[in-house]
Amino acid sequence: MIQASFARPVGLFDNWFNKLVAKLTGGSFCHSEFIVSWSVDQLLEVVNHMGGHINLRNKLSKLDTNNVNICFYVVWGDTCNYRLLKDHEVNPFYRMPNQTEYSTLPLDMSLSEEKKIVRFLFDQCNKDYDYLGALAYFLPWRRSQHTYDTYFCSQLMVCGLQHINKIQNVNPSAVTPNKLYNLLLTSY
């Protein structure tokens, strides 16, 4: 299962910048990311068919559970990346989202579509954050593309969804977390 997760500017994201982002983009959210909940075997099947990600393979082989939650994200000052999430983790960055700080939307798609999105997200890992795009999302000068050299959070998610032919009629570089939340509410 894949969920779209939307962070409010509280808890981990509680700072003036994120509060401003949520306000300026017309909603409650300042960040978005994908959470994939699969069996370890399902994730290993995808990862083993790709190059790299040796650290992830090692972590997965040492897990004492059959299920894993992996979050694909990009945040200001970082690169596109992933992290493993747990239900009971002290560090909120590595904890499954709670309903106070996040809103999550389960995305209805087939397992083959999920695998296609996950492969796409792994392929985007280590691409830089798109500072200019995030700050100028409202300007219509950026072309719509299926992939970019840099990403901001909701742009990465829209590209992933467009990779499986969902929400095709939007420019990923013009979609904020709040706009994506509303698009998903109406299209899923």
Side-chain angles (χ1 to χ4, degrees), residues 3 19 29 35 40 63 65 69 81 91-92 96-97 108 122 134 138 140 147 164 175 182 188:
Q3 300 176 73
K19 289 176 183 178
F29 307 112
I35 299 173
V40 171
L63 287 178
T65 180
N69 300 301
N81 211 336
N91 184 335
M96 283 294 285
D108 184 30
F122 273 122
F138 56 90
T147 60
I164 60 162
V175 177
N182 291 324
Y188 270 90

Side-chain angles (χ1 to χ4, degrees), residues 19-35:
K19 289 176 183 178
L20 180 64
V21 166
K23 182 113 176 131
L24 289 176
T25 61
S28 304
F29 307 112
C30 61
H31 174 68
S32 59
E33 52 197 19
F34 280 124
I35 299 173

